[in-house]
C-alpha cells in the first residue's frame, strides 16, 4: 500500500502548488490560452502546408512518414519545428522558475511579441520555415505558463492529454478518487477546439495576417496579468507559493507571492 503524504506549510495547511493559486483565474487563463493555441495551430496548419504549430504528436507522425519515404526536406522541416517547440518549453520553464509572481506577465508578453514577430520574419525555405519558428517558440513557452494543484504544467497546446485525463478522471470519479484538476480538462478541449475553428475562419478571411489575432489575445492577457500583479501583488489570482514548473515534490518551494 502506497503511503499518502500531504505536504504542509508552517501553518499546517496543505501547500498549494498550483499557479495561479486561485482556480478562478487559472481556469480563465487556461481556457483563453488553449483557444489561442488552437487558433494559431489552425492558421499555421493552413499557411504552412499542414505543418502543426503546437501539435507535436501530429508533427512526429509526419516526421516518421517523411523518414519512411526518404523525403529529407520534410524530415528537416518537421524535426526543426519539434526542436524549436521543445526549446520553447525548456526556456519557458527556466523563465517561470526565475521570475516568480511575474511568471504570467513575462511569459504572456513574450508570447504576444513572438506571435507578432513571425509576420516580420523571412519565409525561409521549405526545409527551414523561418516564418513559423517564432510562432512555434511562443507556443512552446506557453506550456510553462500555468500549473495544476500537483505542480505539473498544464497542457495548453495539445488535446490528447486533456481527453485522456478526462476519460480516466470519469472513471476515478466513479471510484471516488478524482483529482481536482480533472474538472479543467473538458473546458481545455472546448477552448482548443473553438480556437481551431476560429483560426480556420480567420485564415480564410485574412491569410497569414490572421496570426495577429492570437498575438493580440496574448497581449490582452499580458495586460490583465500585469495589471493584477501590480494592483494586487500578493493576490493568488496571479501568483501562488509553488515549486518550479514540473518540479519534484521534494523541490524547495519558491514563494512566488512574497
Amino acid at each position: 500500500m502506497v503511503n499518502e503524504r500531504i505536504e504542509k506549510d508552517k501553518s499546517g495547511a496543505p501547500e498549494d502548488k498550483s499557479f495561479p493559486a486561485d482556480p478562478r483565474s487559472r481556469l480563465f487563463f487556461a481556457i483563453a490560452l488553449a483557444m489561442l493555441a488552437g487558433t494559431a495551430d489552425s492558421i499555421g496548419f493552413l499557411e504552412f502546408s499542414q505543418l502543426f504549430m503546437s501539435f507535436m504528436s501530429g508533427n512526429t507522425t509526419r516526421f516518421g512518414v517523411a523518414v519512411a519515404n526518404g523525403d529529407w526536406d520534410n524530415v528537416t522541416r518537421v524535426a526543426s519545428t519539434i526542436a524549436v517547440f521543445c526549446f520553447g518549453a525548456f526556456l519557458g520553464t527556466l523563465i517561470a522558475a526565475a521570475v516568480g509572481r511575474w511568471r504570467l506577465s513575462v511569459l504572456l508578453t513574450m508570447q504576444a511579441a513572438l506571435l507578432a514577430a513571425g509576420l516580420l520574419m523571412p519565409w525561409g525555405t521549405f526545409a527551414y520555415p523561418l516564418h513559423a519558428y517564432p510562432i512555434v517558440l511562443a507556443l512552446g513557452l506557453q506550456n510553462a505558463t500555468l500549473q495544476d494543484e500537483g505542480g505539473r504544467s498544464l497542457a495548453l497546446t495539445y488535446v490528447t492529454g486533456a481527453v485522456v485525463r478526462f476519460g480516466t478522471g470519469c472513471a476515478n470519479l466513479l471510484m471516488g478518487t478524482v483529482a481536482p484538476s480533472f474538472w479543467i480538462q473538458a473546458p481545455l478541449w472546448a477552448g482548443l477546439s473553438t480556437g481551431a475553428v476560429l483560426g480556420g475562419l480567420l485564415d480564410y478571411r485574412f491569410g497569414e495576417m490572421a496570426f495577429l489575432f492570437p498575438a493580440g489575445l496574448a497581449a490582452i492577457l499580458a495586460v490583465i496579468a500585469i495589471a493584477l500583479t501590480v494592483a494586487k501583488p500578493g493576490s493568488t489570482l496571479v501568483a501562488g507559493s509553488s515549486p518550479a514548473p514540473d518540479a519534484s515534490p521534494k523541490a524547495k518551494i519558491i514563494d512566488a507571492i512574497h
Side-chain angles (χ1 to χ4, degrees), residues 47-111:
E47 288 294 316
F48 294 100
S49 302
Q50 300 184 350
L51 181 68
F52 293 105
M53 303 290 98
S54 69
F55 183 48
M56 294 303 116
S57 295
N59 280 340
T60 299
T61 300
R62 293 179 63 81
F63 172 80
V65 172
V67 171
N69 291 330
D71 184 356
W72 303 118
D73 277 351
N74 232 337
V75 168
T76 303
R77 179 173 181 254
V78 177
S80 63
T81 300
I82 294 172
V84 170
F85 184 87
C86 182
F87 178 71
F90 165 82
L91 183 62
T93 300
L94 293 180
I95 293 171
V99 298
R101 68 189 179 93
W102 289 96
R103 177 194 300 181
L104 275 173
S105 303
V106 172
L107 290 181
L108 287 171
T109 300
M110 292 180 67
Q111 289 167 48

Side-chain angles (χ1 to χ4, degrees), residues 14-42:
E15 288 176 349
D16 189 347
K17 295 181 179 180
S18 55
F19 196 102
D22 192 311
R24 294 171 301 174
S25 59
R26 189 165 66 254
L27 181 62
F28 165 75
F29 280 109
I31 294 174
L33 287 171
M35 182 182 294
L36 183 157
T39 303
D41 206 29
S42 182

Side-chain angles (χ1 to χ4, degrees), residues 170-231:
C170 287
N172 287 327
L173 182 62
L174 291 176
M175 296 185 290
T177 58
V178 68
S181 58
F182 157 72
W183 302 105
I184 201 174
Q185 306 307 323
L188 283 179
W189 178 87
L192 196 69
S193 300
T194 301
V197 173
L198 181 59
L201 294 173
L202 289 171
D203 183 77
Y204 177 77
R205 178 68 176 82
F206 300 107
E208 66 168 324
M209 296 304 293
F211 278 121
L212 288 176
F213 177 84
L217 178 56
I220 291 171
L221 294 175
V223 170
I224 293 173
I226 292 170
L228 286 173
T229 305
V230 172

Side-chain angles (χ1 to χ4, degrees), residues 107-128:
L107 290 181
L108 287 171
T109 300
M110 292 180 67
Q111 289 167 48
L114 286 167
L115 286 164
L119 295 173
L120 304 176
M121 288 286 289
W123 272 88
T125 63
F126 180 82
Y128 296 99

